[in-house]
Short mmCIF file of all heavy atoms in Angstrom, two decimals:
data_model
loop_
_atom_site.label_atom_id
_atom_site.label_comp_id
_atom_site.label_asym_id
_atom_site.label_seq_id
_atom_site.Cartn_x
_atom_site.Cartn_y
_atom_site.Cartn_z
N LYS A 31 112.19 90.63 87.09
CA LYS A 31 111.03 89.74 87.15
C LYS A 31 110.23 89.97 88.41
O LYS A 31 109.00 89.94 88.38
CB LYS A 31 111.48 88.28 87.07
CG LYS A 31 111.94 87.86 85.69
CD LYS A 31 112.32 86.40 85.68
CE LYS A 31 112.80 85.99 84.30
NZ LYS A 31 113.21 84.57 84.28
N TRP A 34 108.22 93.15 87.99
CA TRP A 34 107.13 92.86 87.06
C TRP A 34 106.02 92.09 87.77
O TRP A 34 104.84 92.39 87.62
CB TRP A 34 107.69 92.08 85.87
CG TRP A 34 106.65 91.41 85.04
CD1 TRP A 34 105.90 91.97 84.05
CD2 TRP A 34 106.25 90.04 85.10
NE1 TRP A 34 105.05 91.04 83.52
CE2 TRP A 34 105.26 89.84 84.13
CE3 TRP A 34 106.66 88.96 85.88
CZ2 TRP A 34 104.65 88.60 83.94
CZ3 TRP A 34 106.06 87.73 85.68
CH2 TRP A 34 105.06 87.57 84.72
N ALA A 35 106.38 91.09 88.57
CA ALA A 35 105.39 90.28 89.29
C ALA A 35 104.64 91.14 90.31
O ALA A 35 103.42 91.00 90.46
CB ALA A 35 106.06 89.10 89.99
N SER A 38 102.16 93.29 88.39
CA SER A 38 101.10 92.44 87.84
C SER A 38 100.10 92.05 88.93
O SER A 38 98.89 92.13 88.73
CB SER A 38 101.72 91.20 87.21
OG SER A 38 100.75 90.39 86.62
N THR A 60 107.38 80.92 93.31
CA THR A 60 106.93 79.56 93.61
C THR A 60 107.30 78.68 92.42
O THR A 60 107.77 79.18 91.39
CB THR A 60 105.41 79.50 93.84
OG1 THR A 60 104.74 79.84 92.62
CG2 THR A 60 104.97 80.44 94.95
N ASP A 61 107.07 77.40 92.54
CA ASP A 61 107.35 76.48 91.43
C ASP A 61 106.47 76.80 90.22
O ASP A 61 106.87 76.58 89.09
CB ASP A 61 107.13 75.03 91.84
CG ASP A 61 108.17 74.56 92.84
OD1 ASP A 61 109.26 75.17 92.92
OD2 ASP A 61 107.89 73.59 93.56
N ASP A 62 105.27 77.35 90.48
CA ASP A 62 104.31 77.61 89.40
C ASP A 62 104.20 79.07 88.99
O ASP A 62 103.41 79.41 88.12
CB ASP A 62 102.92 77.11 89.82
CG ASP A 62 102.92 75.62 90.09
OD1 ASP A 62 103.60 74.88 89.36
OD2 ASP A 62 102.26 75.19 91.05
N GLY A 63 104.93 79.98 89.66
CA GLY A 63 104.85 81.40 89.32
C GLY A 63 105.29 82.28 90.48
O GLY A 63 106.43 82.23 90.89
N TRP A 64 104.34 83.05 91.03
CA TRP A 64 104.64 84.00 92.10
C TRP A 64 103.49 84.04 93.10
O TRP A 64 102.35 83.79 92.75
CB TRP A 64 104.81 85.41 91.54
CG TRP A 64 105.99 85.55 90.65
CD1 TRP A 64 106.02 85.34 89.29
CD2 TRP A 64 107.31 85.92 91.02
NE1 TRP A 64 107.29 85.57 88.83
CE2 TRP A 64 108.10 85.93 89.86
CE3 TRP A 64 107.91 86.27 92.23
CZ2 TRP A 64 109.44 86.27 89.86
CZ3 TRP A 64 109.24 86.60 92.24
CH2 TRP A 64 110.00 86.60 91.07
N THR A 89 98.04 84.84 93.93
CA THR A 89 98.85 83.82 93.28
C THR A 89 98.83 84.07 91.77
O THR A 89 97.76 84.19 91.17
CB THR A 89 98.30 82.41 93.58
OG1 THR A 89 98.23 82.24 95.00
CG2 THR A 89 99.18 81.33 92.97
N LEU A 90 100.04 84.17 91.19
CA LEU A 90 100.20 84.36 89.74
C LEU A 90 100.84 83.13 89.13
O LEU A 90 101.70 82.50 89.77
CB LEU A 90 101.11 85.56 89.46
CG LEU A 90 100.74 86.91 90.07
CD1 LEU A 90 101.84 87.92 89.78
CD2 LEU A 90 99.41 87.40 89.54
N ASP A 91 100.46 82.82 87.90
CA ASP A 91 101.16 81.74 87.18
C ASP A 91 102.45 82.31 86.59
O ASP A 91 102.79 83.49 86.78
CB ASP A 91 100.27 81.08 86.14
CG ASP A 91 99.84 82.00 85.01
OD1 ASP A 91 100.45 83.09 84.83
OD2 ASP A 91 98.88 81.64 84.29
N LYS A 92 103.20 81.48 85.87
CA LYS A 92 104.49 81.91 85.32
C LYS A 92 104.37 83.03 84.29
O LYS A 92 105.30 83.79 84.08
CB LYS A 92 105.23 80.72 84.71
CG LYS A 92 105.71 79.75 85.75
CD LYS A 92 106.44 78.58 85.16
CE LYS A 92 106.87 77.66 86.28
NZ LYS A 92 107.56 76.48 85.82
N GLU A 93 103.19 83.15 83.67
CA GLU A 93 102.96 84.22 82.69
C GLU A 93 102.50 85.51 83.36
O GLU A 93 102.29 86.52 82.71
CB GLU A 93 101.94 83.79 81.63
CG GLU A 93 102.46 82.76 80.65
CD GLU A 93 102.53 81.35 81.25
OE1 GLU A 93 101.62 80.99 82.02
OE2 GLU A 93 103.51 80.65 80.98
N GLY A 94 102.29 85.48 84.67
CA GLY A 94 101.87 86.66 85.41
C GLY A 94 100.37 86.83 85.51
O GLY A 94 99.88 87.86 85.95
N ASP A 95 99.61 85.81 85.10
CA ASP A 95 98.16 85.88 85.19
C ASP A 95 97.70 85.46 86.59
O ASP A 95 98.18 84.46 87.13
CB ASP A 95 97.50 84.97 84.15
CG ASP A 95 97.76 85.45 82.73
OD1 ASP A 95 97.77 86.68 82.52
OD2 ASP A 95 97.94 84.61 81.84
N LEU A 96 96.75 86.20 87.14
CA LEU A 96 96.22 85.90 88.46
C LEU A 96 95.40 84.61 88.38
O LEU A 96 94.51 84.49 87.55
CB LEU A 96 95.35 87.06 88.94
CG LEU A 96 94.90 86.99 90.40
CD1 LEU A 96 94.85 88.39 90.99
CD2 LEU A 96 93.55 86.34 90.50
N VAL A 97 95.74 83.66 89.22
CA VAL A 97 95.01 82.38 89.24
C VAL A 97 94.22 82.20 90.53
O VAL A 97 93.30 81.39 90.59
CB VAL A 97 95.93 81.17 88.99
CG1 VAL A 97 96.50 81.20 87.59
CG2 VAL A 97 97.06 81.10 90.01
#
Side-chain angles (χ1 to χ4, degrees):
K31 286 182 181 179
W34 165 82
S38 183
T60 65
D61 291 339
D62 299 322
W64 294 89
T89 304
L90 305 174
D91 64 16
K92 290 180 181 179
E93 288 76 38
D95 294 323
L96 189 145
V97 294

